[in-house]
Amino acid sequence: MTSLDDLPIRDDLRGKTAYGAPQLDVPYALNTNENPYPPSDRLVKALGEAVMDVAGSLNRYPDRDAVALREDLAAFLNADTPGVGLTAGRVWAANGSNEIIQQILQAFGGPGRTALGFEPSYSMHPIITEVSGTRWIDAHRDEDFGLEPGRAVAAVAEHRPDVVFLTSPNNPTGTALPLETIEAVLDAAPGMVVVDEAYGEFRREGTPSALTLLEGHPRLIVTRTMSKAFAMAGTRLGYLAADPAVIEALLLVRLPYHLSAVTQAVARTALAFREELLGTVDALRAERDALVAWLRGEGFAVADSDANFVLFGTFPDRRQVWQSLLIRGVLIREVGPPEWLRVSVGTPDEMAAFRNALQESR
């Protein structure tokens, strides 16, 4: 049988492994930061009707530029962050935020160019960067997983990257960035600055979004997703807000008809039901804060979280702890710093199962 090494694959891909969290059939899956609350029967019916409405025209290509969807996304962001004044011309959508990141790197990265991030952070940033032929630079986060503005600026000044990735709230640590850090990087960066806000809806009250910095910063891109707070991970819909010139650049690299008619219809329906879907956010925030307090009460180190997950530790052998939880039917994530583990925030029943399993594994 032919092996991968027998094929004329790119040299820079040899020795690499595909990204992916374990997909195991367990009673309590708390490893991929999904919203644990499924759509209501009313929403399921509306989603079915939306798909039926487009099913009769699936012999035709969808709207290539997804204009109606982008108008709906702009309206949502305007309501979520009043005063930003976004239009469809300043919003773009793709198949998950990973395709958004890929398109950004296709347009602004590539051979001979660099992208810089501060790890531990979202593991797909360096993966997509390298696959696009761009060189990845890890400037590292502070010991407390924050990012001091002066040190961030120094890293940007030293490396002069074409793309800077800032993740807020950060994955896997949950740490949010103050606006002054983002502004400092924007002032120093010679290229594009991408603020990944995949978990932005979960940030604590009073934590502003980088969307408020868009005006006057044409090289700023703020990315979001419908996979987390919107409970639409299966829809695969990511989006961004930026200057119209950025959208023009992305149009040069996007594949034609990249968003199916079904995806567009489902995403628009979800946006129409946003009050219902985002109605679980406050409950998940409260569950997160209670989990942080409980873990600290049990003597664990816990990173402050503005997301729907919690990073906790430290463990001399985190694999053993992960395996012990799995034996008890609870799947969490081995990710980030070597002595830490990450658990997604679930329903009260799921959190109770996690706490019981963790206590039993000690």
Side-chain angles (χ1 to χ4, degrees):
M1 181 179 293
T2 301
S3 72
L4 182 63
D5 288 337
D6 295 324
L7 299 175
I9 192 172
R10 282 166 34 189
D11 288 340
D12 61 318
L13 295 180
R14 293 189 183 278
K16 294 186 180 297
T17 56
Y19 169 88
Q23 295 188 106
L24 305 175
D25 186 13
V26 295
Y28 305 102
L30 300 171
N31 67 324
T32 52
N33 303 337
E34 299 155 326
N35 187 318
Y37 295 100
S40 67
D41 291 343
R42 187 171 72 101
L43 177 51
V44 168
K45 182 174 183 292
L47 290 168
E49 291 172 350
V51 172
M52 286 184 62
D53 286 344
V54 300
S57 59
L58 289 180
N59 60 310
R60 302 295 185 185
Y61 287 114
D63 177 0
R64 185 175 54 233
D65 296 329
V67 174
L69 171 59
R70 289 160 61 197
E71 288 174 347
D72 290 351
L73 287 167
F76 163 67
L77 290 176
N78 288 334
D80 179 65
T81 309
V84 294
L86 294 172
T87 62
R90 300 189 66 184
V91 174
W92 184 243
N95 290 284
S97 58
N98 289 329
E99 187 178 37
I100 289 286
I101 294 164
Q102 177 179 274
Q103 291 176 347
I104 291 169
L105 287 162
Q106 286 176 318
F108 301 105
R113 295 193 171 201
T114 59
L116 179 146
F118 300 88
E119 297 186 271
S121 192
Y122 182 39
S123 58
M124 284 305 297
H125 289 162
I127 291 173
I128 300 174
T129 292
E130 292 173 352
V131 169
S132 73
T134 311
R135 184 168 68 90
W136 175 256
I137 300 168
D138 176 14
H140 306 290
R141 280 183 167 250
D142 301 335
E143 287 188 8
D144 65 354
F145 305 131
L147 188 56
E148 194 275 321
R151 202 177 68 75
V153 167
V156 171
E158 176 185 356
H159 297 287
R160 311 270 313 156
D162 297 281
V163 181
V164 176
F165 284 101
L166 299 173
T167 311
S168 182
N170 186 48
N171 178 15
T173 67
T175 319
L177 286 177
L179 281 188
E180 53 262 35
T181 301
I182 299 172
E183 288 181 289
V185 171
L186 279 168
D187 291 340
M192 306 302 296
V193 175
V194 181
V195 181
D196 186 333
E197 290 191 346
Y199 301 93
E201 291 88 355
F202 293 106
R203 62 192 186 277
R204 280 173 280 190
E205 293 294 334
T207 304
S209 166
L211 291 168
T212 60
L213 300 177
L214 282 172
E215 194 63 37
H217 292 104
R219 294 186 178 186
L220 171 63
I221 301 173
V222 181
T223 67
R224 292 278 188 97
T225 182
M226 294 185 75
S227 296
K228 308 302 181 184
F230 264 94
M232 283 282 133
T235 303
R236 307 306 302 127
L237 198 291
Y239 57 103
L240 64 80
D243 188 89
V246 173
I247 311 304
E248 290 182 33
L250 298 180
L251 286 169
L252 299 176
V253 300
R254 66 98 164 89
L255 295 175
Y257 312 108
H258 68 295
L259 277 179
S260 76
V262 172
T263 297
Q264 293 183 45
V266 168
R268 293 192 68 199
T269 302
L271 285 164
F273 280 73
R274 59 182 175 268
E275 288 188 10
E276 173 186 320
L277 289 169
L278 296 178
T280 62
V281 167
D282 285 344
L284 290 168
R285 281 174 174 161
E287 200 68 52
R288 171 199 67 202
D289 294 342
L291 177 61
V292 168
W294 181 84
L295 286 167
R296 287 175 175 163
E298 292 291 307
F300 293 102
V302 185
D304 289 333
S305 179
D306 276 87
N308 67 330
F309 55 83
V310 174
L311 189 75
F312 68 104
T314 57
F315 306 101
D317 183 358
R318 73 171 179 182
R319 181 69 181 186
Q320 185 275 326
V321 179
W322 179 87
Q323 187 69 46
S324 179
L325 291 171
L326 183 60
I327 290 170
R328 292 167 171 81
V330 179
L331 176 62
I332 63 172
R333 188 77 184 271
E334 282 186 287
V335 69
E339 296 182 339
W340 296 72
L341 291 165
R342 191 194 72 193
V343 58
S344 303
V345 176
T347 65
D349 287 347
E350 289 172 331
M351 291 293 91
F354 165 74
R355 289 192 292 269
N356 290 337
L358 186 60
Q359 286 179 321
E360 291 174 3
S361 69
R362 298 183 77 171

mmCIF file of all heavy atoms in Angstrom, residues 112-133:
data_model
loop_
_atom_site.group_PDB
_atom_site.id
_atom_site.type_symbol
_atom_site.label_atom_id
_atom_site.label_comp_id
_atom_site.label_asym_id
_atom_site.label_seq_id
_atom_site.Cartn_x
_atom_site.Cartn_y
_atom_site.Cartn_z
ATOM 1 N N GLY A 112 7.702 34.163 1.646
ATOM 2 C CA GLY A 112 8.479 35.369 1.879
ATOM 3 C C GLY A 112 7.851 36.320 2.881
ATOM 4 O O GLY A 112 8.447 37.349 3.218
ATOM 5 N N ARG A 113 6.671 35.979 3.385
ATOM 6 C CA ARG A 113 5.978 36.829 4.364
ATOM 7 C C ARG A 113 5.860 36.092 5.707
ATOM 8 O O ARG A 113 6.036 34.874 5.766
ATOM 9 C CB ARG A 113 4.600 37.231 3.851
ATOM 10 C CG ARG A 113 4.676 38.118 2.605
ATOM 11 C CD ARG A 113 3.345 38.753 2.298
ATOM 12 N NE ARG A 113 3.475 39.766 1.247
ATOM 13 C CZ ARG A 113 2.598 40.745 1.039
ATOM 14 N NH1 ARG A 113 1.504 40.846 1.803
ATOM 15 N NH2 ARG A 113 2.775 41.615 0.077
ATOM 16 N N THR A 114 5.552 36.849 6.746
ATOM 17 C CA THR A 114 5.498 36.272 8.087
ATOM 18 C C THR A 114 4.197 36.639 8.789
ATOM 19 O O THR A 114 3.592 37.678 8.521
ATOM 20 C CB THR A 114 6.669 36.761 8.955
ATOM 21 O OG1 THR A 114 6.621 38.194 9.042
ATOM 22 C CG2 THR A 114 8.003 36.332 8.379
ATOM 23 N N ALA A 115 3.795 35.760 9.701
ATOM 24 C CA ALA A 115 2.673 36.029 10.595
ATOM 25 C C ALA A 115 3.146 35.776 12.020
ATOM 26 O O ALA A 115 3.890 34.819 12.271
ATOM 27 C CB ALA A 115 1.476 35.143 10.267
ATOM 28 N N LEU A 116 2.724 36.621 12.925
ATOM 29 C CA LEU A 116 3.172 36.548 14.318
ATOM 30 C C LEU A 116 1.971 36.380 15.239
ATOM 31 O O LEU A 116 0.936 37.022 15.051
ATOM 32 C CB LEU A 116 3.959 37.815 14.675
ATOM 33 C CG LEU A 116 4.508 37.953 16.098
ATOM 34 C CD1 LEU A 116 5.841 38.712 16.060
ATOM 35 C CD2 LEU A 116 3.533 38.698 17.009
ATOM 36 N N GLY A 117 2.126 35.504 16.242
ATOM 37 C CA GLY A 117 1.109 35.334 17.258
ATOM 38 C C GLY A 117 1.758 35.156 18.611
ATOM 39 O O GLY A 117 2.986 35.048 18.724
ATOM 40 N N PHE A 118 0.924 35.119 19.639
ATOM 41 C CA PHE A 118 1.417 35.035 21.011
ATOM 42 C C PHE A 118 0.853 33.767 21.638
ATOM 43 O O PHE A 118 -0.294 33.735 22.080
ATOM 44 C CB PHE A 118 1.008 36.287 21.792
ATOM 45 C CG PHE A 118 1.555 37.566 21.208
ATOM 46 C CD1 PHE A 118 0.844 38.258 20.223
ATOM 47 C CD2 PHE A 118 2.773 38.060 21.619
ATOM 48 C CE1 PHE A 118 1.335 39.431 19.674
ATOM 49 C CE2 PHE A 118 3.281 39.245 21.083
ATOM 50 C CZ PHE A 118 2.558 39.929 20.101
ATOM 51 N N GLU A 119 1.654 32.702 21.653
ATOM 52 C CA GLU A 119 1.196 31.417 22.157
ATOM 53 C C GLU A 119 1.489 31.271 23.651
ATOM 54 O O GLU A 119 2.405 31.909 24.165
ATOM 55 C CB GLU A 119 1.874 30.295 21.366
ATOM 56 C CG GLU A 119 1.498 30.310 19.869
ATOM 57 C CD GLU A 119 2.063 29.117 19.117
ATOM 58 O OE1 GLU A 119 3.202 29.217 18.615
ATOM 59 O OE2 GLU A 119 1.354 28.092 19.050
ATOM 60 N N PRO A 120 0.685 30.425 24.352
ATOM 61 C CA PRO A 120 -0.334 29.525 23.815
ATOM 62 C C PRO A 120 -1.556 30.277 23.308
ATOM 63 O O PRO A 120 -2.054 31.179 23.969
ATOM 64 C CB PRO A 120 -0.700 28.645 25.012
ATOM 65 C CG PRO A 120 -0.416 29.494 26.207
ATOM 66 C CD PRO A 120 0.773 30.310 25.825
ATOM 67 N N SER A 121 -1.994 29.892 22.125
ATOM 68 C CA SER A 121 -3.166 30.517 21.530
ATOM 69 C C SER A 121 -3.821 29.495 20.612
ATOM 70 O O SER A 121 -3.491 28.304 20.664
ATOM 71 C CB SER A 121 -2.765 31.793 20.787
ATOM 72 O OG SER A 121 -3.908 32.547 20.445
ATOM 73 N N TYR A 122 -4.726 29.954 19.760
ATOM 74 C CA TYR A 122 -5.480 29.041 18.913
ATOM 75 C C TYR A 122 -4.522 28.276 18.000
ATOM 76 O O TYR A 122 -3.781 28.869 17.210
ATOM 77 C CB TYR A 122 -6.500 29.824 18.103
ATOM 78 C CG TYR A 122 -7.384 28.986 17.211
ATOM 79 C CD1 TYR A 122 -7.867 27.749 17.617
ATOM 80 C CD2 TYR A 122 -7.747 29.435 15.944
ATOM 81 C CE1 TYR A 122 -8.680 26.978 16.810
ATOM 82 C CE2 TYR A 122 -8.574 28.686 15.126
ATOM 83 C CZ TYR A 122 -9.027 27.461 15.559
ATOM 84 O OH TYR A 122 -9.841 26.697 14.750
ATOM 85 N N SER A 123 -4.544 26.947 18.089
ATOM 86 C CA SER A 123 -3.544 26.132 17.398
ATOM 87 C C SER A 123 -3.667 26.171 15.882
ATOM 88 O O SER A 123 -2.708 25.854 15.170
ATOM 89 C CB SER A 123 -3.633 24.679 17.880
ATOM 90 O OG SER A 123 -4.928 24.146 17.669
ATOM 91 N N MET A 124 -4.828 26.582 15.356
ATOM 92 C CA MET A 124 -4.968 26.648 13.901
ATOM 93 C C MET A 124 -4.284 27.862 13.299
ATOM 94 O O MET A 124 -4.014 27.871 12.098
ATOM 95 C CB MET A 124 -6.456 26.638 13.517
ATOM 96 C CG MET A 124 -7.135 25.289 13.618
ATOM 97 S SD MET A 124 -6.330 23.978 12.665
ATOM 98 C CE MET A 124 -6.516 24.582 10.993
ATOM 99 N N HIS A 125 -3.986 28.876 14.088
ATOM 100 C CA HIS A 125 -3.290 30.034 13.521
ATOM 101 C C HIS A 125 -1.946 29.639 12.901
ATOM 102 O O HIS A 125 -1.699 29.924 11.730
ATOM 103 C CB HIS A 125 -3.106 31.126 14.579
ATOM 104 C CG HIS A 125 -4.368 31.826 14.953
ATOM 105 N ND1 HIS A 125 -4.509 32.560 16.106
ATOM 106 C CD2 HIS A 125 -5.576 31.909 14.334
ATOM 107 C CE1 HIS A 125 -5.731 33.064 16.174
ATOM 108 N NE2 HIS A 125 -6.397 32.676 15.114
ATOM 109 N N PRO A 126 -1.048 28.973 13.651
ATOM 110 C CA PRO A 126 0.207 28.571 13.013
ATOM 111 C C PRO A 126 0.036 27.499 11.942
ATOM 112 O O PRO A 126 0.778 27.487 10.953
ATOM 113 C CB PRO A 126 1.057 28.054 14.186
ATOM 114 C CG PRO A 126 0.093 27.749 15.273
ATOM 115 C CD PRO A 126 -1.037 28.710 15.106
ATOM 116 N N ILE A 127 -0.936 26.608 12.122
ATOM 117 C CA ILE A 127 -1.130 25.553 11.126
ATOM 118 C C ILE A 127 -1.537 26.152 9.779
ATOM 119 O O ILE A 127 -0.945 25.850 8.736
ATOM 120 C CB ILE A 127 -2.190 24.542 11.618
ATOM 121 C CG1 ILE A 127 -1.639 23.730 12.798
ATOM 122 C CG2 ILE A 127 -2.616 23.606 10.476
ATOM 123 C CD1 ILE A 127 -2.668 22.821 13.446
ATOM 124 N N ILE A 128 -2.552 27.009 9.779
ATOM 125 C CA ILE A 128 -2.999 27.613 8.519
ATOM 126 C C ILE A 128 -1.920 28.540 7.965
ATOM 127 O O ILE A 128 -1.728 28.632 6.747
ATOM 128 C CB ILE A 128 -4.330 28.365 8.715
ATOM 129 C CG1 ILE A 128 -5.410 27.406 9.212
ATOM 130 C CG2 ILE A 128 -4.791 29.014 7.403
ATOM 131 C CD1 ILE A 128 -6.729 28.083 9.567
ATOM 132 N N THR A 129 -1.215 29.224 8.853
ATOM 133 C CA THR A 129 -0.124 30.096 8.410
ATOM 134 C C THR A 129 0.905 29.306 7.608
ATOM 135 O O THR A 129 1.275 29.684 6.483
ATOM 136 C CB THR A 129 0.558 30.748 9.631
ATOM 137 O OG1 THR A 129 -0.353 31.655 10.242
ATOM 138 C CG2 THR A 129 1.803 31.522 9.218
ATOM 139 N N GLU A 130 1.366 28.201 8.162
ATOM 140 C CA GLU A 130 2.410 27.427 7.491
ATOM 141 C C GLU A 130 1.900 26.757 6.219
ATOM 142 O O GLU A 130 2.622 26.680 5.219
ATOM 143 C CB GLU A 130 2.982 26.408 8.470
ATOM 144 C CG GLU A 130 3.761 27.081 9.607
ATOM 145 C CD GLU A 130 4.199 26.129 10.696
ATOM 146 O OE1 GLU A 130 3.760 24.951 10.660
ATOM 147 O OE2 GLU A 130 4.970 26.540 11.582
ATOM 148 N N VAL A 131 0.650 26.282 6.246
ATOM 149 C CA VAL A 131 0.083 25.666 5.041
ATOM 150 C C VAL A 131 -0.029 26.687 3.910
ATOM 151 O O VAL A 131 0.078 26.339 2.729
ATOM 152 C CB VAL A 131 -1.281 25.025 5.362
ATOM 153 C CG1 VAL A 131 -2.006 24.619 4.091
ATOM 154 C CG2 VAL A 131 -1.088 23.805 6.256
ATOM 155 N N SER A 132 -0.225 27.947 4.261
ATOM 156 C CA SER A 132 -0.317 28.997 3.227
ATOM 157 C C SER A 132 1.051 29.423 2.712
ATOM 158 O O SER A 132 1.142 30.302 1.851
ATOM 159 C CB SER A 132 -1.042 30.221 3.795
ATOM 160 O OG SER A 132 -0.218 30.922 4.711
ATOM 161 N N GLY A 133 2.116 28.823 3.238
ATOM 162 C CA GLY A 133 3.464 29.197 2.800
ATOM 163 C C GLY A 133 4.036 30.383 3.536
ATOM 164 O O GLY A 133 5.088 30.907 3.168
#
